[in-house]
Amino acid sequence: MDLRKFIDIARDAGELYDIRKTVDPVRELGAVLNACERAGKGALFHSVKGYDIPVTGALLSSQKRIALALGCEVSEVGARMAAATQKPIKPQAHQGAAPCQEVKVKSPDLGAWPIPTHSPLDPAPFVTAGVVIARDPQSGRHNLSYNRMQIHGRDRAGISMNIWRHIKAFFDRLEPQGKNLPFCVAIGPDPVVMMAGAFRYDGDEYEVAGSLRGAPIAVVRATTCDVMVPATAEIIIEGEVLAGERQMEGPMAEFTGHYSGADPKHVARITAITHRAQPIFQTMNGGGYEHVSLGNMITREPLLERFVRHISPRVKAVHLPPYAAGFTAIVALDNPEPGEAKNVALAAMAAHVNFKTVIVVDADVDIFDPADVLWALATRTRWDHGFAAVPGAHGNELDPSCDEHGIVTKVIIDATLPAEKRARYLKVAYPAVDLKNYL
Ligand SMILES: Cc1cc2nc3c(=O)[nH]c(=O)nc-3n(C[C@H](O)[C@H](O)[C@H](O)COP(=O)(O)O)c2cc1C
């Protein structure tokens, strides 16, 4: 699987809008991408003003397209993610000439690429969907991650590495010796490489991508550094994070749907760019559904499921909706025993520090439909005893409702009907129809 094949698969499944009207990469492309994403589609922009390179985005912003990329059913995505770190598959050297090195640009110019300035307050173009590949200076293992890059100049970009990231730990070991950290950015790789980039895993993260694909990821050595890159990616940016350099970066649309501040951030020098002939650039809107799906949903839903199934055999489904920044966990229970919804909610809350609101509903509620969940909240929650608040808990520092130490009040909500009311209050549910047959 490569990006081109995946675009074809998404299009054939009715999951992609082909945008043929010319769009401006400065704030227009991001707005149209946002509209596509909210309409449930990925996008391929065939004509980007000032460039001869198409741009794609929002490809992995829905469970359906994630399942298409994995070649499985939507209902199997959670199990595939849970298994990804259990059965790692080592990468393999690509045989023959690597597609990602069909064209080698030795004097790179980031300005030659249609890198969008996505949202209204972004101060500059940002590389957002590139998977950053760096090696642990001690073990040599490859780490995959997302580290947005604000374009500062022809061969200069910021690189955002927050304190919890493996890549930051690698750099922190080199910088005191005055050494730079070599890295590469893969734009438009096999979608499983993008999924693996979202994992927090201590081993070689190409093995996670291989496990998701069920086959080794083909890699090739970069042209200016000792980093292996995905051979079928559309574009590879090669560079090094510079010791002792910082430059102001931001604000930028964060996963919470709010802007980050502007801060001094690390700086990278770009040493080469290689790409396929007629490359496709890939991007992602900061704070959009794809950002949250990758960063806060696919790797955490299996964790949530493990915690709640540990204490209840009646769990029907779990979900971390991408429209709630990964802060809200929803669990559906099949005929819970008295008190069970509360126990399940407490278990769910413990599964991840980011979970701030847990909503437990009955199995007749479609937890993937926000309207159905709000309906359950509105009609079934007994707010006198179906609700509990936990003040003073640790949350995510980027959540605007946290205090300056990341402390927040968390809540659990039991929106299930009590057993004695189930027979009396049956849900009005119509059979599903395909409107195409009636229009
Ligand atoms: C779309 C997306 C964008 C992200 N942007 C950044 C970023 O700019 N800086 C950062 O430090 N982390 C960012 N993250 C988080 C990390 O890349 C991600 O959690 C990764 O798994 C880090 O794992 P690692 O410590 O194993 O490298 C982003 C995550 C996603 C999914």
Side-chain angles (χ1 to χ4, degrees):
M1 173 84 79
D2 62 9
L3 177 72
R4 294 165 190 213
K5 189 155 182 222
F6 181 46
I7 287 174
D8 288 343
I9 290 172
R11 181 185 291 115
D12 290 348
E15 287 284 314
L16 182 98
Y17 283 143
D18 281 291
I19 310 284
R20 296 188 191 277
K21 189 170 176 201
T22 300
V23 291
D24 194 323
V26 182
R27 300 191 179 94
E28 185 182 14
L29 187 149
V32 181
L33 184 60
N34 175 61
C36 293
E37 194 166 53
R38 291 201 172 233
K41 308 286 182 195
L44 178 62
F45 297 91
H46 291 261
S47 173
V48 179
K49 189 174 155 193
Y51 300 89
D52 198 12
I53 300 165
V55 176
T56 190
L59 289 181
L60 295 175
S61 51
S62 77
Q63 290 267 15
K64 173 103 185 276
R65 290 194 292 284
I66 289 169
L68 284 173
L70 291 170
C72 70
E73 297 298 323
V74 170
S75 57
E76 293 167 342
V77 169
R80 293 286 291 272
M81 292 297 153
T85 51
Q86 308 303 319
K87 299 175 200 152
I89 298 180
K90 286 190 193 315
Q92 244 174 28
H94 181 80
Q95 301 301 310
C100 71
Q101 294 178 344
E102 277 169 347
V103 180
K104 296 177 182 165
V105 185
K106 294 209 173 84
S107 172
D109 177 8
L110 292 166
W113 294 89
I115 306 171
T117 302
H118 299 85
S119 75
L121 297 188
D122 282 6
F126 276 88
V127 175
T128 51
V131 178
V132 174
I133 307 151
R135 297 188 79 161
D136 182 332
Q138 270 157 9
S139 70
R141 76 156 181 111
H142 284 83
N143 187 74
L144 309 178
S145 59
Y146 291 91
N147 303 89
R148 67 189 182 215
M149 297 175 69
Q150 177 173 336
I151 307 307
H152 292 320
R154 196 183 158 85
D155 66 349
R156 282 284 192 285
I159 179 161
S160 150
M161 307 185 294
N162 76 36
I163 50 168
W164 302 287
R165 305 292 171 235
H166 281 126
I167 187 172
K168 173 79 165 52
F170 302 165
F171 182 69
D172 285 350
R173 271 184 247 142
L174 296 177
E175 190 176 35
Q177 306 165 43
K179 289 187 185 159
N180 301 334
L181 175 74
F183 74 100
C184 293
V185 185
I187 295 171
D190 178 334
V192 294
V193 173
M194 293 190 66
M195 296 176 205
F199 275 77
R200 171 99 189 155
Y201 178 67
D202 290 337
D204 191 303
E205 287 180 337
Y206 274 126
E207 297 181 4
V208 175
S211 174
L212 288 168
R213 179 53 64 224
I217 300 298
V219 292
V220 63
R221 191 183 182 280
T223 62
T224 59
C225 58
D226 189 19
V227 172
M228 302 300 281
V229 297
T232 62
E234 292 291 324
I235 302 154
I236 303 290
I237 300 174
E238 303 180 9
E240 51 187 0
V241 187
L242 300 174
E245 281 209 32
R246 303 290 187 273
Q247 193 169 331
M248 286 302 282
E249 185 240 47
M252 199 239 171
E254 258 299 350
F255 78 93
T256 65
H258 297 80
Y259 286 97
S260 68
D263 301 294
K265 287 271 162 59
H266 297 86
V267 179
R269 183 173 76 87
I270 309 308
T271 50
I273 295 179
T274 70
H275 60 90
R276 293 174 75 142
Q278 298 180 315
I280 302 170
F281 190 83
Q282 186 170 13
T283 198
M284 192 188 297
N285 271 352
Y289 292 167
E290 187 170 31
H291 188 169
V292 180
S293 292
L294 285 171
N296 303 73
M297 190 180 83
I298 56 169
T299 60
R300 292 183 191 158
E301 279 184 349
L303 191 66
L304 171 62
E305 183 150 0
R306 190 146 52 85
F307 271 62
V308 292
R309 284 203 191 281
H310 181 65
I311 64 149
S312 169
R314 276 169 279 276
V315 174
K316 184 190 166 208
V318 304
H319 190 38
L320 296 168
Y323 52 81
F327 292 157
T328 299
I330 308 173
V331 184
L333 290 183
D334 215 353
N335 292 318
E337 298 286 332
E340 190 173 9
K342 282 257 180 57
N343 289 17
V344 164
L346 289 167
M349 188 64 86
H352 197 276
V353 66
N354 280 20
F355 298 168
K356 188 172 72 169
T357 304
V358 177
I359 304 169
V360 183
V361 296
D362 290 299
D364 61 353
V365 174
D366 179 359
I367 61 173
F368 302 99
D369 178 359
D372 226 25
V373 175
L374 276 178
W375 168 81
L377 278 180
T379 63
R380 293 182 173 177
T381 314
R382 293 158 296 147
W383 293 103
D384 47 352
H385 50 296
F387 167 87
V390 185
H394 195 202
N396 185 297
E397 285 78 1
L398 295 180
D399 176 352
S401 68
C402 284
D403 73 10
E404 66 277 21
H405 307 293
I407 302 302
V408 72
T409 297
K410 301 195 171 193
V411 293
I412 57 173
I413 301 170
D414 170 5
T416 62
L417 274 175
E420 66 277 11
K421 289 194 173 178
R422 278 180 209 142
R424 162 69 186 82
Y425 291 101
L426 291 178
K427 185 183 186 192
V428 180
Y430 292 94
V433 294
D434 187 344
L435 271 183
K436 276 201 242 74
N437 299 329
Y438 295 85
L439 298 174

